[in-house]
Amino acid sequence: QLYKSLKGRRYLIVMDDVWNAEAWNDVRRCFPNDNNGSRVMVTSRILKVARFISPLNAPHVMRFLTVDESWKLLQEKLCGLDSRLCCDDEMGWI
């Protein structure tokens, strides 16, 4: 049904955190290739899986955030750019 609903239409599908090649093989037939600019973007923590899915394109390898970067990102997502509105580094949550 997914194939039928996408056939002839332009789409962007994001598959996040694919753990093995079999998962990709199970779903790739669902995405028609009508040469209309449609794309499927896949993320994976496993380099071997990324290379299997797209052997002609080098994967974009990202590093993990540090503890400080993770904390800052969480504050920005929860409190906006001014993290002082809801967080205090010494006291914890306000």
Side-chain angles (χ1 to χ4, degrees), residues 3-92:
Y3 182 90
K4 286 180 183 179
S5 67
L6 295 175
K7 184 70 178 155
R9 301 179 71 184
R10 192 169 178 193
Y11 57 85
L12 169 65
I13 304 289
V14 179
M15 293 182 57
D16 186 37
D17 208 10
V18 176
W19 284 49
N20 58 52
E22 292 78 31
W24 170 247
N25 282 335
D26 288 344
V27 298
R28 71 180 179 165
R29 293 181 302 271
C30 294
F31 309 121
N33 183 2
D34 293 326
N35 294 315
N36 62 0
S38 293
R39 295 287 182 265
V40 178
M41 183 185 334
V42 178
T43 69
S44 179
R45 299 174 193 205
I46 305 165
L47 197 55
K48 183 178 178 181
V49 172
R51 288 186 176 137
F52 174 84
I53 291 171
S54 187
L56 300 179
N57 297 309
H60 179 77
V61 180
M62 297 180 68
R63 66 174 176 79
F64 287 102
L65 297 177
T66 65
V67 172
D68 289 337
E69 290 169 330
S70 297
W71 177 242
K72 183 177 179 182
L73 178 61
L74 177 64
Q75 288 176 325
E76 288 176 2
K77 291 297 180 185
L78 293 177
C79 310
L81 293 177
D82 188 359
S83 61
R84 294 172 295 163
L85 295 175
C86 67
C87 306
D88 181 301
D89 289 336
E90 292 181 15
M91 299 296 289

